[in-house]
Amino acid sequence: MTTEQPVQLESLGEGIVLLTLSRPKALNALDMGLLTALDQAITEISAQEDTRAILMTGAGDKAFVAGADIRAMSQMSAVEAEAFARKGQQVFRRLEDLPIPVIALVNGFALGGGCELALSCDFILAAENAVFGQPEVCLGVTAGFGGSQRLPRQIGPGMAMELLLTGRNVKAEEAKQIGLANHIYPQDQLRDEGIKLAQKIVACGPNAVRLTKQLVMRGMSLDLENACVLESQGFGLCFSTDEQTEGMQAFLEKRPAKFN
Ligand code: HXC
């Protein structure tokens, strides 16, 4: 692992990669430099055929990402602010579009852009000290990296409205209750629990995992009828793979499946 880099990629074996965002002087707040480094890391991961799951976290024990960089934003013109929002949206969209699962390990503050980044991952595991929130209105601005759109899709419009309109913080327990975080772990166990979950994913058929992610992502922007058609097409496609033959044969032979 290279230290001092704003985004560090570390192979944890079995096709699992740990992506760490690191800007210690500002609790990993996202400025243009960190966004660009994240963009480059996504490009690097996209070129690695053997990467099968990503765990994303923040450096240190206090923050996942404490938001977009307020100091940098305070100097922006309206045009620059819009371009900054667009850049973040594009990078987060690329993350969401990766064909492999991305799990957010939220190890502290995930506020504003940090909450929006976690929402762009496929699901969230929270440490006991995790704090989520969209405090933008308290700074006199709206969300800008997709939070006004992804939060209501994730937790429903009523609760999302409350959080977006008040800017109030939500601790780990409530985050789990409202469907923002899937599970909560003691901070020193978060990474290992993330690895265990990622190992379960990589033990499954890689093609089926990729297709499943695509079905969920694409299907959510379609009506139910068309989304189900997409699902049946995906299901049919699996039957042209060795993976389906092996998966079903292994069940019938009462042995674990071995996927390549
Ligand atoms: C810039 C930040 C920062 C941020 C923390 N820091 N968050 N710098 N942008 N978002 C810096 C602090 O200025 C401080 O630097 C250092 O990190 C440590 O933070 P402290 O405030 O001293 O720590 P603490 O008292 O523990 O408070 C932690 C905190 C607080 C509750 C997370 O830092 C905080 O409220 N941060 C802002 C959170 C926020 O509002 N995020 C949303 C931003 S808007 P110094 O040099 O003073 O020691 C957003 C919009 C997204 O994200 C869309 C954009 C298009």
Side-chain angles (χ1 to χ4, degrees):
M1 181 173 82
T2 328
T3 48
E4 314 297 336
Q5 294 297 320
V7 173
Q8 296 150 23
L9 293 178
E10 182 187 357
S11 171
L12 302 178
E14 299 173 64
I16 303 165
V17 167
L18 179 70
L19 187 159
T20 307
L21 296 141
S22 177
R23 245 189 107 218
K25 67 173 184 179
L27 298 183
N28 311 323
L30 296 162
D31 62 357
M32 204 46 119
L34 190 49
L35 277 180
T36 304
L38 177 58
D39 203 17
Q40 286 164 352
I42 294 168
T43 303
E44 198 176 317
I45 289 165
S46 305
Q48 297 168 349
E49 275 181 24
D50 50 348
T51 299
R52 305 262 308 277
I54 297 169
L55 300 171
M56 178 181 291
T57 197
D61 56 6
K62 208 171 155 186
F64 175 70
V65 165
D69 190 291
I70 299 171
R71 195 174 298 279
M73 288 189 294
S74 70
Q75 303 299 317
M76 287 178 187
S77 67
V79 171
E80 287 167 338
E82 186 176 336
F84 181 58
R86 199 66 200 126
K87 170 77 180 172
Q89 289 172 359
Q90 284 163 351
V91 175
F92 290 12
R93 188 77 181 147
R94 288 193 69 214
L95 181 71
E96 199 170 55
D97 281 346
L98 278 172
I100 50 176
V102 183
I103 304 168
L105 303 182
V106 175
N107 56 327
F109 293 107
L111 301 175
C115 188
E116 292 169 307
L117 179 58
L119 284 165
S120 305
C121 298
D122 294 312
F123 58 88
I124 297 171
L125 305 182
E128 283 168 348
N129 69 331
V131 178
F132 299 83
Q134 297 287 163
E136 287 90 341
V137 285
C138 307
L139 296 164
V141 295
T142 67
F145 290 158
S148 64
Q149 305 309 310
R150 286 195 182 91
L151 192 62
R153 283 168 170 79
Q154 174 79 27
I155 64 171
M159 186 52 87
M161 276 291 191
E162 180 188 325
L163 299 187
L164 287 159
L165 297 179
T166 62
R168 99 173 156 82
N169 286 347
V170 166
K171 291 185 180 163
E173 202 55 56
E174 187 182 359
K176 185 176 170 200
Q177 216 173 45
I178 63 177
L180 188 50
N182 286 11
H183 304 285
I184 305 170
Y185 302 108
Q187 184 161 28
D188 61 358
Q189 291 169 27
L190 182 65
R191 180 178 145 143
D192 285 350
E193 294 294 339
I195 294 172
K196 276 191 220 162
L197 234 155
Q199 282 170 334
K200 286 201 173 121
I201 293 172
V202 304
C204 299
N207 177 64
V209 166
R210 261 195 305 272
L211 261 174
T212 298
K213 175 167 172 174
Q214 271 180 33
L215 287 176
V216 174
M217 297 309 299
R218 287 205 202 150
M220 282 201 300
S221 59
L222 297 175
D223 61 81
L224 186 61
E225 185 56 31
N226 282 308
C228 285
V229 169
L230 197 70
E231 185 189 66
S232 54
Q233 289 168 345
F235 185 70
L237 203 61
C238 295
F239 285 71
S240 59
T241 63
D242 295 343
E243 202 176 291
Q244 172 266 334
T245 317
E246 166 61 12
M248 295 193 174
Q249 202 57 40
F251 172 80
L252 295 173
E253 291 170 9
K254 301 187 187 299
R255 61 171 174 82
K258 275 178 74 180
F259 297 112
N260 294 320

